[in-house]
Amino acid sequence: MRNVIVAATQMSCSSSIEGNIEKADALVRRAVDKGAQIILLQELFETPYFCQKEKSDYYAYATELELNKAVQHFRQVAKELQVVLPISFYEKRNNARYNSLALIDANGEVLGKYRKSHIPDGPGYEEKFYFNPGDTGFKVWSTKYAKIGVGVCWDQWYPEAARCMVLRGAEILFYPTAIGSEPQDGSIDSKDHWQTCMLGHAAANLVPVVASNRIGVEVDEDSSITFYGSSFIADGQGNKVAEAGCAEETVLVAEFDLDQLEIQRLEWGIFRDRRPDLYKIISSYDGELSF
C-alpha cells in the first residue's frame, strides 16, 4: 500500500494580498491537522479575480516567480509542515505575462512551474487581456508523496490535457479554479457541467481528481461574479468522495491507495488498448488532416 491524503480548500479573496495569503495559510494548516500531505489552493488566490474587466492597472499584480509573495511564503510553509503545495500566481517574465503555477515539494523546493495552456475570453473572464498562452506543455512532477499533474481552471474542460498528464505518469490530477456566475446572464449555472467535465477525467483515466474553487461575490464596476465554490475530490472511477458547499470556507480531505489505483488502471486495460495511431486528427483545429 502506498497511501496519500490530499486536500482541497476554498475561500473568499479580498483586495489585501497579505490578508489572502494569511487566510490561505490558515487553511493549509487546517488541512495538515486532518492529515493532508498534498494541499490544493485555488487559482490566483493572492488577489480578487481581476480578469472581470480589462484594466491595465492590474498588470501590476504580476511578479517574477522568485519575487512572488505567495510562492516564497508557501515555500517556508511546505518545508515546515512537510507538505506539497501547488501555488497559483500571476507571472511576469520579461514582456510576457502568464497564469502560472509553482509546484512546491515537501522540502520547500520549487520543482518547476506550469503555465496555463487554455486562456478563456468572455464577459467577466477577460483572461486574454492579461495572460499569454502557456508554453510549458503539460507538466507532471514526482513529489514526496505522489506523481501529480496540475491544470489551471479553463484547462479542466479539455480531456486532452488530463490524458496527456496521465500518459506522463500522473497519479492524481489537481485543478485550481476561479469560476462562478456569468455577469452577462445570471440564469446560467455552470457548476454541474464544471464538475462533470472533471469527473470524466477521473473516470476516463482512472485517477483521482482534486478541484479547488473560490467563493464569495466580487464586484468590479458594473460586473459582478458570485463564485460558487463546490470544490470537490473524486476517486479513480469518477465518484465524488468529498464536496464543499457553494459559500463555505472549508477544507476537504480524502485518502487514496496509489498502488491499488495503479492495479485498477492495468486491470481495466484503458491504456493498454489505446490506439494513438488513429488519433492524429485530434491535433487539427478543423478535423481535417493536412498532408
Side-chain angles (χ1 to χ4, degrees):
M1 294 177 60
R2 188 162 56 96
N3 286 13
V4 62
I5 301 176
V6 300
T9 68
Q10 66 177 35
M11 69 184 213
S12 60
C13 296
S14 71
S15 59
S16 169
I17 292 175
E18 290 75 13
N20 293 329
I21 291 174
E22 182 179 349
K23 184 184 287 190
D25 183 297
L27 289 176
V28 167
R29 293 177 189 277
R30 281 174 58 185
V32 170
D33 288 343
K34 295 185 176 186
Q37 299 161 303
I38 307 176
I39 304 164
L40 183 63
L41 293 161
Q42 63 213 36
E43 181 186 21
L44 299 173
F45 64 87
E46 285 183 282
T47 65
Y49 181 72
F50 51 85
C51 306
Q52 285 196 60
K53 290 284 188 178
E54 296 185 358
K55 294 183 177 180
S56 299
D57 288 349
Y58 294 152
Y59 290 138
Y61 283 140
T63 64
E64 295 178 349
L65 185 152
E66 297 79 9
L67 301 177
N68 180 263
K69 292 180 179 179
V71 172
Q72 298 312 313
H73 177 88
F74 284 105
R75 287 190 66 187
Q76 299 304 313
V77 172
K79 183 176 181 180
E80 173 195 348
L81 302 177
Q82 291 291 290
V83 292
V84 175
L85 298 171
I87 299 297
S88 171
F89 72 105
Y90 187 13
E91 182 190 4
K92 172 184 178 180
R93 185 65 175 171
N94 297 323
N95 290 309
R97 302 292 183 273
Y98 299 99
N99 188 334
S100 295
L101 179 140
L103 199 289
I104 305 174
D105 207 357
N107 61 0
E109 177 187 356
V110 176
L111 296 183
K113 65 185 173 186
Y114 167 70
R115 291 168 171 165
K116 185 174 179 177
S117 300
H118 304 93
I119 310 298
D121 184 40
Y125 301 90
E126 307 280 356
E127 295 199 11
K128 280 186 166 65
F129 184 77
Y130 295 99
F131 309 125
N132 293 78
D135 59 359
T136 58
F138 303 112
K139 307 284 285 186
V140 171
W141 292 280
S142 295
T143 74
K144 180 176 181 179
Y145 303 112
K147 195 168 186 178
I148 69 173
V150 181
V152 177
C153 202
W154 193 228
D155 290 331
Q156 65 210 357
W157 302 83
Y158 294 86
E160 301 92 338
R163 177 54 57 89
C164 286
M165 288 186 280
V166 179
L167 283 173
R168 299 195 68 187
E171 298 172 299
I172 310 173
L173 300 179
F174 293 82
Y175 291 94
T177 302
I179 190 169
S181 61
E182 303 294 329
Q184 83 284 5
D185 188 345
S187 69
I188 297 174
D189 184 354
S190 61
K191 191 267 287 186
D192 289 343
H193 186 199
W194 169 70
Q195 289 190 342
T196 298
C197 282
M198 284 179 286
L199 296 177
H201 302 333
N205 293 288
L206 293 164
V207 298
V209 166
V210 182
S212 178
N213 191 21
R214 67 173 62 198
I215 58 172
V217 179
E218 297 188 17
V219 178
D220 194 336
E221 295 181 349
D222 60 346
S223 181
S224 174
I225 297 178
T226 300
F227 292 95
Y228 50 59
S230 304
S231 303
F232 69 92
I233 301 172
D235 67 15
Q237 294 187 13
N239 303 301
K240 285 184 282 188
V241 296
E243 182 178 8
C246 62
E248 60 180 328
E249 183 177 288
T250 192
V251 172
L252 307 173
V253 297
E255 184 171 1
F256 298 106
D257 181 343
L258 299 179
D259 287 338
Q260 183 59 38
L261 286 164
E262 181 180 15
I263 291 170
Q264 288 178 356
R265 284 193 294 276
L266 293 171
E267 288 177 341
W268 274 91
I270 288 174
F271 292 92
R272 178 198 65 204
D273 298 340
R274 291 182 67 252
R275 291 292 307 279
D277 55 310
L278 301 180
Y279 304 155
K280 294 181 178 64
I281 200 165
I282 203 71
S283 65
S284 71
Y285 281 106
D286 61 4
E288 299 291 338
L289 294 177
S290 299
F291 297 97

